[in-house]
Amino acid sequence: MVLLSSWQTKKVSNRRRLVEMLIVGNTNLKGRGVFAQKRFLKGEIIERAPVVVIPAEQVEFLDKTILGNYYYDWENQAAAIALGLMSLFNHSYDPNTYYVKKFAEGEVELIAYRDIETGEEITANYNGSPEDISPIWFDVVDE
């Protein structure tokens, strides 16, 4: 039996509430996507996910798998696979969120960049900054 401190219990409870506010569904052109089940206000945390850190010397192997499309660049040239729904948010050059890598905590947070309406797809700019329009490794599809 694992006993959680009151802080850990609160963190687990908050995580459960965040996930209940999101749903995975199909988009018209991009395949799967994550959609808001409630209205999120600018600055609100939408998702907080723990990561599995892949050491830098193993990233080349990760790139040869389907997971090569789903990891975050991490500190010290490592990679990180985010758990929860974090790796399912689609890319957009006009995103409604941004993410913050929390290296010390081993987590990634997704935060509303603007207000997001119920039913709206939640997107992030894979370049790391909402304003960065640099090309990414695949052809971008906008809906």
Side-chain angles (χ1 to χ4, degrees):
M1 176 184 219
V2 175
L3 298 176
L4 299 175
S5 69
S6 62
W7 174 84
Q8 289 170 315
T9 302
K10 182 177 180 185
K11 194 170 183 180
V12 168
S13 176
N14 287 342
R15 166 104 176 91
R16 186 173 298 120
R17 279 192 296 249
L18 287 173
V19 170
E20 291 170 355
M21 296 177 207
L22 304 170
I23 189 168
V24 176
N26 291 318
T27 67
N28 293 327
L29 301 173
K30 298 183 278 187
R32 263 188 320 209
V34 180
F35 297 85
Q37 289 292 97
K38 71 165 223 95
R39 186 169 195 257
F40 289 96
L41 300 178
K42 180 179 180 176
E44 191 172 349
I45 295 173
I46 294 173
E47 170 79 310
R48 179 182 296 124
V51 301
V52 176
V53 177
I54 311 300
E57 62 272 9
Q58 295 178 20
V59 173
E60 68 178 292
F61 303 110
L62 185 63
D63 281 334
K64 295 177 183 177
T65 73
I66 191 68
L67 291 176
N69 289 316
Y70 293 92
Y71 71 81
Y72 290 80
D73 292 329
W74 208 246
E75 63 183 347
N76 301 321
Q77 298 174 343
I81 300 290
L83 303 178
L85 299 178
M86 191 64 76
S87 292
L88 298 179
F89 296 102
N90 283 320
H91 168 78
S92 175
Y93 285 120
D94 184 27
N96 51 21
T97 69
Y98 64 95
Y99 57 87
V100 176
K101 300 172 189 175
K102 304 216 152 208
F103 300 118
E105 294 89 347
E107 295 180 340
V108 177
E109 281 185 348
L110 192 72
I111 301 167
Y113 185 59
R114 60 167 174 77
D115 291 352
I116 300 170
E117 299 304 322
T118 302
E120 186 176 348
E121 183 182 8
I122 298 172
T123 59
N125 186 328
Y126 287 5
N127 287 319
S129 169
E131 297 88 17
D132 188 341
I133 58 169
S134 302
I136 55 175
W137 66 97
F138 60 86
D139 292 331
V140 176
V141 176
D142 287 320
E143 293 200 26

